[in-house]
Structure formats: C-alpha cells, structure tokens
Amino acid sequence: MKTEAPPQPTRSRRLDELIRTPVEIDESRHTRSLLDALLQDAVRGAVSDIHLDPLHDGYELRFRIDGALMDIRHLEPSDGQHIVRAFKSHAGLEPGFALVPQDGRAEFQVGDRSVFLRVATAPSVLGEKLALRLLPMNLAHLRLDQLGLSADDYQRISRAMRDALGMILVSGPTGSGKTTTLYALLHELVSTNRCIVAVEDPVEYVIEGITQMQVNEKQGLTFAEGVKGLLRLDPDIIFMGEMRDRISAQAALNAADSGHVFLSSLHARDAAGTITSLRSFGLEDHEIAATVDLIAAQRLVRRLCQACRKQEPPTESEIAWLKYYAQPIPKLTWRAVGCAKCGQTGYLGRIGLFEVWRLREEDADLILKHADERTLRRHIRQCGTLSLLQDDLQKVADGATSLAEIQTVGGVGFHASRSQGGASSPEQVTEHATSTTH
C-alpha cells in the first residue's frame, strides 16, 4: 500500500531562531537555550523520543510522536555536537566522544513541570548518535481500564491479580508499552494491602506504597542480587523491571517458586513466543509449567483522531492483506483524515493491542510435553484467546484505529496463519465487525 509521508510537526519560532543565530560570546548559555527550546517543543508536541542522528554535514533532529518518527530539521555540526555533549553531561556521562554505547538519566525543568529523560548514546562512523526517551509522569498513573484491554482480557488480568500464585509476565518488543502496563498493574495492587517490592533498571516512576530498588551493577546490585534481597523483606508481590538473561530468569523462577506473585516483562513476539523466550533463558519445561500463571503480549498502535476519522470501503490492497491472513472483510472501515486537532496526521495518541493468556492445566500439560510455538499458538486460539491481530481488528471495527495502521506494526499479523482459521475466535471477530460496520 502506498503511504503518504507524515506531516511536519510545528516547530517553535524560538528553536528556529536559536539555531540560525551565530554563537558569538557565551556558548554555554546558547546551548542551554537550545536544550530548553528543544524540550519545550517536545513536551508541547507529546513527543516520546528525540533523536539526533549524525550525518556527513551535521545532524538530523527527529521526533517520535505516537510511534511515528518525523524529521524536524537539519542542524549544523557545531549545534548538534553541543546538544549531544550537554545532554550527556546532564545524564552524568562522559561528555567527550565515547567509543562504547552509554546510557543514563537526566531531569530538566521545562516551564512549571519536571521532565525526566532516559539518555542513550552510541558511536557510529559519522559521529555519536543520541536518543532521548521522555518519561511522561501521566503514564505512571494510567489505570488498567485505560490501556485498551477488551472486557474479557480485563477480567482475565483482574482475576489473576486477585488469585495468581506465580509469574505474571508482560511481553512484546521494545517500545510496545510493557512498562506502562506493568505500572498500571502495580497501581491496582497497591490498594490490596499486600507488601509489594520492586527491583528496576532504572526506576522510571516512583509509586508510593511500593519499596523500589534500583540496579547498580558497579556496586554488585544486579537483578538477581536485588531479588534475593527483596525476598528477605516478607513480600507478597515481587516486581522485576525486565527479565533479560539466564541469571535474571533464574532469580524470577526462585521468587515465583517460593509462593510469591512475580511480575516482570520480557521480549517476545506473542504469548506462545514468551514460552520460547523462557526456554531460551534456560528454564526447564516443568519449571515454566509450574510457575507461569498469566502472559499478556502486547503492541501499540496509533489511535484514530475522533474529530476527523471517516468510514470508507477497504482498499484493494487492504482486502488482499486481510485475505492473506484469512480474516473477514468488512464492507466499511475507519480511515485517518487529518485536522488541526491531530496536527493533520489523522491520529491522536496510542492504544494497546493485547493477547492475554491465562494458563490452565491443559496448557501446562502441553508445555511439559515440550510443545513447539506453532502447537501452543494453535491451542491458545482454539481455547478462545484472541491473537494480537484479532484484537486489532476489533479495534478497527470500533473505529479506534485503522487497517492502514495495523500493517505498520511488526509481528501483529505474522502469526495469524491459515491453519488457525478453524478456531472459534475468527468467527467472533467476524460477528463483531459485521455488527459494527453494517
């Protein structure tokens, strides 16, 4: 499908003037002004990430808004280098050119609000690449019912939080909203009069009522050591920011195996792929079957602007795409248009796609038999759990997102194979789409 280039976000006149103004006397003051103007633009535009990419003749400044990366403007080499060095210095990193990747955190005051940044740099053949992740405080206070979960998925997760014993895992690629979902779960659990302890790298949001520990590998405080220490605090629930390797996976297993509820995230394509990831970390089938209680796989898609969206028949390429994945063809579908409210993009904000799998006895039996991903995936569909693609199609039918947006999200349709067409879930989606679009 042919896609149009995203519209250019509005830049502040102050940033443009600062970039055009030659530095004559106070270079440090000029750089501080650049950073201030840049962050003001980012906050005003609901930017999630800022990129400075080195080029032969300078730097390219880019903003990520609602998941889409947009070119903002070209910077001269001196301005780009000053900005990179300034952000590194604020994050406690060595401001000179580094030969290895670095990461840190920084806090800035932008107007009347504090802005927290995750700062990452990496060397390249053209210079040093800078990536900034803005950590909006409002995401730390989202409730579970604000994430985009269907009624069935919300009930599955709510029940698991009340009676689970073992691991509750949130999986997906980088930038899929896993941290936001985990913090929403923690907020729900704070009010349950249970002792909640956490080990994170880094602590992105502070939540009152939870004991949060930050990893410090230089001092020997790893995820594994942190979990060991937290087990001595008489916890009911243990939260580990991310399961990254064999050591952290073994620490998670020890915590879950001792009768505690254990929350964490890891990288995986979908719910069945999460089992594969756990196996790759060295966990045995009997350990996975005994400790994993619920898996929530997720992605993020842009939400259609409710002020300008419109319904039209699907295009020929959209019909071909749906047929390829053996999905129902609606007569009408919602499409992005663009207006002043959404900055002419047709989208405003993002919504989660979910596949929520609460493991049962027959699921554990399959894992014990070392069932492969395809077998597990087919079994999950046959038991009525919607795939990421099927959840997305329900949101398309509801007008929350568009068919065009689905196709930009990697991995959502990949596993909706024709072999699953006989399951009950696709028929449920067909009925939902028909009742909504006709």
Side-chain angles (χ1 to χ4, degrees):
M1 178 191 299
K2 182 180 179 181
T3 58
E4 297 181 0
Q8 189 83 336
T10 302
R11 299 194 303 262
S12 68
R13 183 177 300 174
R14 182 182 176 216
L15 180 60
D16 281 345
E17 289 176 349
L18 284 167
I19 291 172
R20 289 197 301 265
T21 302
V23 182
E24 296 179 352
I25 302 176
D26 194 335
E27 182 180 290
S28 62
R29 179 179 294 179
H30 177 77
T31 301
R32 286 197 302 271
S33 298
L34 271 177
L35 264 58
D36 186 52
L38 177 60
L39 291 174
Q40 284 187 14
D41 278 6
V43 169
R44 188 183 302 111
V47 172
S48 63
D49 300 83
I50 300 171
H51 289 247
L52 256 73
D53 296 328
L55 307 173
H56 284 289
D57 59 347
Y59 280 80
E60 187 67 31
L61 172 64
R62 301 198 288 175
F63 285 168
R64 189 178 296 280
I65 302 174
D66 290 339
L69 199 57
M70 303 180 183
D71 293 342
I72 300 301
R73 71 162 300 145
H74 181 81
L75 300 179
E76 293 299 318
S78 58
D79 281 330
Q81 291 165 6
H82 290 156
I83 291 173
V84 171
R85 285 198 294 265
F87 276 117
K88 289 175 65 177
S89 179
H90 277 283
L93 307 178
E94 174 59 44
F97 184 84
L99 298 177
V100 295
Q102 298 184 89
D103 63 87
R105 286 169 57 87
E107 179 182 355
F108 290 84
Q109 195 68 28
V110 179
D112 60 351
R113 61 182 290 184
S114 295
V115 176
F116 296 89
L117 303 177
R118 207 159 61 204
V119 181
T121 67
S124 76
V125 294
L126 295 179
E128 199 163 14
K129 155 85 175 184
L130 173 73
L132 308 172
R133 168 65 57 87
L134 280 72
L135 304 175
M137 297 308 295
N138 62 312
L139 291 184
H141 301 289
L142 284 179
R143 299 191 310 273
L144 195 60
D145 59 3
Q146 295 176 307
L147 302 180
L149 289 159
S150 67
D152 287 344
D153 287 343
Y154 179 82
Q155 289 300 323
R156 284 192 187 101
I157 293 180
S158 296
R159 283 195 295 268
M161 289 194 298
R162 289 194 300 268
D163 57 30
L165 281 177
M167 294 186 193
I168 297 177
L169 301 175
V170 179
S171 64
T174 301
S176 61
K178 300 187 297 294
T179 300
T180 299
T181 298
L182 284 169
Y183 274 97
L185 291 172
L186 289 175
H187 275 290
E188 296 276 339
L189 291 166
V190 165
S191 60
T192 60
N193 294 322
R194 287 186 277 182
C195 176
I196 306 173
V197 295
V199 55
E200 303 170 66
D201 182 23
V203 175
E204 295 191 357
Y205 305 106
V206 176
I207 302 178
E208 289 190 12
I210 296 178
T211 301
Q212 294 172 270
M213 179 189 300
Q214 183 158 304
V215 167
N216 186 340
E217 293 191 358
K218 292 181 179 179
Q219 300 296 322
L221 180 54
T222 62
F223 272 124
E225 290 301 317
V227 170
K228 286 181 184 178
L230 294 176
L231 283 170
R232 303 186 189 102
L233 299 179
D234 185 31
D236 298 301
I237 298 166
I238 298 174
F239 168 62
M240 184 170 70
E242 185 178 348
M243 200 182 298
R244 296 179 175 175
D245 50 31
R246 184 182 298 265
I247 295 174
S248 59
Q250 190 61 50
L253 175 68
N254 293 339
D257 205 29
S258 61
H260 297 88
V261 178
F262 184 89
L263 276 70
S264 190
S265 69
L266 72 164
H267 293 116
R269 292 177 293 186
D270 62 359
T274 303
I275 301 300
T276 301
S277 295
L278 293 173
R279 287 168 172 165
S280 71
F281 287 150
L283 298 190
E284 300 291 338
D285 286 333
H286 71 274
E287 295 171 327
I288 297 170
T291 57
V292 176
D293 191 286
L294 180 138
I295 296 170
Q298 70 176 84
R299 296 289 193 282
L300 288 175
V301 292
R302 290 183 295 174
R303 191 191 295 265
L304 280 170
C305 175
Q306 303 296 296
C308 64
R309 63 177 184 166
K310 68 175 182 179
Q311 279 187 305
E312 291 181 348
T315 65
E316 289 184 7
S317 60
E318 288 170 342
I319 291 172
W321 188 85
L322 288 167
K323 285 181 177 179
Y324 180 80
Y325 289 113
Q327 298 302 316
I329 312 299
K331 289 186 176 180
L332 294 173
T333 187
W334 291 96
R335 195 169 305 285
V337 177
C339 64
K341 184 176 180 180
C342 61
Q344 303 303 325
T345 65
Y347 298 94
L348 195 60
R350 290 194 283 178
I351 188 171
L353 309 179
F354 294 91
E355 178 190 8
V356 180
W357 179 27
R358 184 85 190 266
L359 278 71
R360 291 162 294 192
E361 191 170 335
E362 57 266 34
D363 304 319
D365 289 341
L366 276 176
I367 295 170
L368 285 170
K369 294 174 183 176
H370 201 69
D372 60 21
E373 247 183 67
R374 185 182 294 273
T375 302
L376 287 172
R377 192 171 291 117
R378 185 163 51 245
H379 172 74
I380 294 169
R381 295 290 85 75
Q382 289 170 347
C383 292
T385 298
L386 295 185
S387 68
L388 290 164
L389 175 61
Q390 291 161 351
D391 186 42
D392 200 345
L393 288 174
Q394 286 196 349
K395 290 178 169 66
V396 169
D398 290 335
T401 190
S402 67
L403 284 173
E405 178 66 6
I406 302 177
Q407 297 173 68
T408 69
V409 182
V412 170
F414 183 77
H415 299 300
S417 64
R418 294 179 182 275
S419 64
Q420 297 164 0
S424 60
S425 299
E427 282 74 16
Q428 296 170 4
V429 176
T430 304
E431 292 172 4
H432 184 87
T434 302
S435 64
T436 306
T437 58
H438 287 192

